[in-house]
């Protein structure tokens, strides 16, 4: 099982190592290479300032402003993510270690549940990693393509910058442009690593919490079978003075059944605590992500539907928009799954246990997780619940902003 867990967690560790972090280490040893973390982080903060200055300087030209806002939004999100991970590195390390300890104990059917959920995480995280990698690489190839195309067709040297910002030096010549391009390479590297690392980590944590809910369902089914196999006490089951072990056949199964139900109640409470810890880790990240993403998606979609883009630029905008949408669906879909799985606990307990065959004390015990599950676990972005309805809200808001920008364009 240890080998399986290491393989499942490999992508997360690999991407975090690109930021100089060992996410599975102790908090004191988590920052392995500070220079690798701080260099792109500081450069991203400086680019946010340069992007912000460019947006303010071109506030009257909404086409230029919205074109620069896409990178500004993503840079702000990336910087915030990394700062939060570093700030809460102790909580991250503790939660990862706790989930790994729980998964190592899984056997039989429970091991299959853990493997199935982690396989789901691998597919999603790998798909997202490939899409982000392609988007970042394409954004750096587009200016080179345009520079070569202009030089071949006209013989003139035109060096378009990868991303529009206020660069505080002359970048019309090769040396100045080289500095801009190297700066943008660092930014794209930082944005890609921060996006994939935090999103894939979130996916891994949610999939393993959902695995704990499903293991709970399995254990409840096992406990219900114990209840059905335990014969209730009746008048015919009298105590014989000659028996060496009076009521041995009735007491042992009954005691095992109660212990199994108590273990399920404790397991449910522990799983709910994992959800609360997940909210404390990602609540602030999700809040900023969803607040900024509406503007980002609006700007990307607006420039995509304008219809005067080259094929290379359309491909870049489509990949960027797909990566942004995939980021949102990762949070919203997993938030919906978490809510649905927690709500299933009450239904499962009510449907699988033979209530008429259980003593009143055991019934009362089962009421505890039923009452807890009625207040379902949910993923929160501080002030809002993250589920599929929030995903639709973001795109409806982005659509309204696009309509407003199109109206401005038509008036001109």
């Amino acid at each position: 099982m240890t080998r399986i867990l290491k393989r499942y967690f490999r992508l997360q560790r690999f991407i975090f190592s690109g930021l100089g972090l060992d996410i599975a280490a102790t908090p004191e040893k988590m920052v392995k290479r500070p220079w690798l973390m701080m260099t792109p982080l500081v450069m991203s903060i400086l680019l946010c300032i340069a992007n912000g200055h460019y947006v303010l300087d071109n506030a009257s030209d909404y086409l230029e402003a919205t074109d620069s806002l896409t990178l500004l939004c993503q840079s702000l999100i990336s910087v915030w993510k990394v700062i939060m991970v570093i700030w809460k590195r102790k909580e991250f390390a503790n939660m990862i270690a706790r989930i790994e300890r729980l998964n190592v104990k899984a056997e039989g059917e429970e091991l299959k549940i853990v493997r199935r959920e982690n396989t789901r995480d691998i597919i999603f995280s790998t798909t997202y990693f490939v899409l982000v990698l392609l988007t970042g690489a394409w954004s750096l190839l587009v200016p080179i393509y345009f520079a070569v195309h202009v030089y071949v067709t006209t013989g003139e040297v035109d060096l378009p910058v990868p991303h529009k910002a206020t660069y505080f030096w002359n970048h019309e010549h090769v040396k100045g442009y080289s500095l801009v391009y190297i700066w943008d390479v660092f930014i794209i590297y930082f944005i890609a690593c921060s996006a994939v690392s935090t999103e894939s980590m979130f996916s891994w944590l949610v999939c393993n919490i959902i695995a704990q809910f499903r293991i709970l369902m399995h254990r409840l089914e096992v406990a219900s079978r114990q209840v059905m196999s335990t014969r209730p006490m009746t008048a015919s089951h009298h105590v014989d003075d000659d028996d060496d072990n009076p009521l041995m056949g009735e007491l042992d199964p009954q005691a095992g059944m109660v212990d199994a139900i108590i273990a399920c109640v404790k397991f449910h409470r522990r799983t709910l605590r994992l959800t609360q810890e997940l909210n404390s880790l990602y609540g602030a990240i999700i809040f900023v992500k969803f607040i900024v993403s509406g503007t980002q998606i609006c700007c990307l979609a607006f420039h995509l539907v304008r219809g005067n883009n080259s094929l290379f630029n359309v491909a870049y905008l489509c990949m960027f928009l797909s990566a942004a949408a995939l980021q949102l669906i990762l949070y919203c879909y997993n938030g919906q799954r978490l809510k649905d799985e927690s709500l299933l606990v009450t239904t499962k307990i009510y449907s699988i246990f033979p209530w008429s065959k259980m003593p009143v004390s055991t019934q009362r015990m089962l009421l505890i997780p039923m009452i807890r599950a009625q207040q379902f676990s949910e993923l929160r972005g501080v002030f809002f619940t993250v589920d599929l309805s929030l995903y639709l809200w973001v795109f409806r808001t982005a659509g309204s902003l696009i309509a407003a920008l199109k109206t401005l364009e038509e008036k001109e």
Side-chain angles (χ1 to χ4, degrees):
M1 183 61 197
T2 303
R3 180 180 60 84
I4 295 171
L5 287 175
K6 286 181 179 178
R7 187 183 45 158
Y8 285 163
F9 202 59
R10 186 175 296 168
L11 178 63
Q12 286 80 4
R13 295 193 67 169
F14 171 71
I15 301 299
F16 268 111
S17 66
L19 291 172
L21 300 173
D22 184 359
I23 195 64
T26 59
E28 296 78 15
K29 299 180 180 179
M30 188 175 289
V31 181
K32 291 290 186 181
R33 292 177 290 275
W35 62 270
L36 186 58
M37 178 189 65
M38 292 305 298
T39 302
L41 177 61
V42 172
M43 295 182 77
S44 295
I45 294 173
L46 292 176
L47 187 66
C48 287
I49 297 172
N51 276 133
H53 183 273
Y54 186 85
V55 171
L56 292 175
D57 199 36
N58 294 273
S60 58
D61 186 354
Y62 65 92
L63 293 177
E64 289 293 319
T66 54
D67 194 17
S68 183
L69 267 176
T70 55
L71 184 66
L72 175 59
C73 291
Q74 192 60 51
S75 299
L76 288 172
I77 294 170
S78 299
V79 169
W80 179 249
K81 286 176 182 176
V82 173
I83 290 174
M84 292 303 295
V85 169
I86 297 171
W87 183 24
K88 298 187 176 182
R89 60 187 181 275
K90 182 177 181 180
E91 290 84 351
F92 271 101
N94 291 338
M95 190 170 184
I96 292 167
R98 190 178 303 114
I99 288 178
E100 287 188 338
R101 286 196 299 269
L102 292 174
N103 288 345
V104 166
K105 298 176 183 177
E107 295 179 352
E109 186 62 31
E110 295 180 4
L111 178 58
K112 293 179 182 178
I113 293 171
V114 172
R115 182 180 294 133
R116 188 160 52 244
E117 284 298 321
N118 280 273
T119 301
R120 181 194 295 266
D121 165 65
I122 289 173
I123 295 171
F124 195 95
S125 297
T126 304
T127 303
Y128 180 62
F129 169 69
V130 172
L131 182 58
V132 171
L133 189 66
L134 288 174
T135 304
W138 200 266
S139 70
L140 295 173
L141 290 175
V142 168
I144 295 177
Y145 164 77
F146 279 114
V148 172
H149 178 73
V150 170
Y151 182 76
V152 171
T153 55
T154 65
E156 298 179 357
V157 177
D158 185 13
L159 301 173
V161 294
H163 301 99
K164 294 180 179 179
T166 303
Y167 298 101
F168 300 99
W169 62 84
N170 182 15
H171 54 79
E172 298 294 331
H173 53 81
V174 176
K175 290 183 179 179
Y177 183 80
S178 299
L179 289 176
V180 170
Y181 196 85
I182 292 171
W183 190 4
D184 275 53
V185 168
F186 273 96
I187 303 307
I188 296 302
Y189 172 82
F190 176 76
I191 288 175
C193 287
S194 63
V196 177
S197 60
T198 51
E199 260 76 89
S200 61
M201 173 62 64
F202 175 81
S203 175
W204 185 83
L205 290 172
V206 172
C207 284
N208 280 281
I209 292 175
I210 290 174
Q212 296 303 306
F213 273 113
R214 295 192 172 178
I215 289 172
L216 172 63
M217 307 290 186
H218 171 70
R219 293 188 179 183
L220 288 170
E221 290 178 356
V222 173
S224 69
R225 287 195 290 269
Q226 284 186 281
V227 172
M228 287 185 281
S229 64
T230 303
R231 290 178 297 171
M233 287 293 295
T234 62
S236 60
H237 292 99
H238 62 278
V239 179
D240 191 341
D241 294 335
D242 295 331
D243 289 341
D244 292 330
N245 297 303
L247 298 179
M248 181 63 73
E250 285 73 26
L251 285 177
D252 285 348
Q254 194 80 1
M257 175 194 69
V258 172
D259 289 342
I261 293 175
I262 292 174
C264 288
V265 172
K266 292 180 179 180
F267 192 94
H268 183 227
R269 184 174 59 188
R270 184 179 64 197
T271 306
L272 292 177
R273 280 202 302 268
L274 286 175
T275 306
Q276 293 171 357
E277 291 176 17
L278 180 67
N279 276 319
S280 69
L281 290 176
Y282 273 91
I285 293 175
I286 293 171
F287 175 75
V288 172
K289 171 66 185 172
F290 277 84
I291 293 299
V292 177
S293 290
T295 303
Q296 181 187 34
I297 290 173
C298 166
C299 295
L300 288 169
F302 172 69
H303 282 275
L304 183 62
V305 301
R306 290 191 65 237
N308 58 347
N309 295 297
S310 66
L311 185 61
F312 262 70
N313 203 33
V314 168
Y316 167 65
L317 290 172
C318 286
M319 285 189 289
F320 201 164
L321 185 60
S322 299
L326 196 59
Q327 280 184 343
L328 295 182
I329 197 64
L330 183 147
Y331 289 108
C332 294
Y333 174 66
N334 282 316
Q336 187 70 50
R337 288 183 68 210
L338 196 61
K339 180 193 294 186
D340 293 342
E341 290 294 331
S342 66
L343 282 172
L344 280 176
V345 174
T346 297
T347 306
K348 194 77 171 178
I349 294 173
Y350 182 77
S351 60
I352 65 175
F353 280 95
W355 293 85
S356 60
K357 297 181 180 180
M358 295 188 301
V360 176
S361 59
T362 306
Q363 293 180 17
R364 289 173 179 168
M365 237 187 300
L366 287 172
L367 288 176
I368 298 173
M370 289 183 71
I371 294 171
R372 282 180 181 151
Q374 286 175 357
Q375 186 177 2
F376 52 81
S377 297
E378 61 181 6
L379 186 64
R380 294 194 61 81
V382 183
F383 299 113
F384 49 81
T385 301
V386 181
D387 54 16
L388 291 177
S389 62
L390 180 65
Y391 187 73
L392 297 176
W393 177 84
V394 170
F395 275 88
R396 282 200 302 266
T397 304
S400 301
L401 294 173
I402 292 170
L405 289 174
K406 292 294 289 182
T407 302
L408 288 174
E409 185 179 27
E410 290 171 0
K411 287 182 178 180
E412 293 183 357

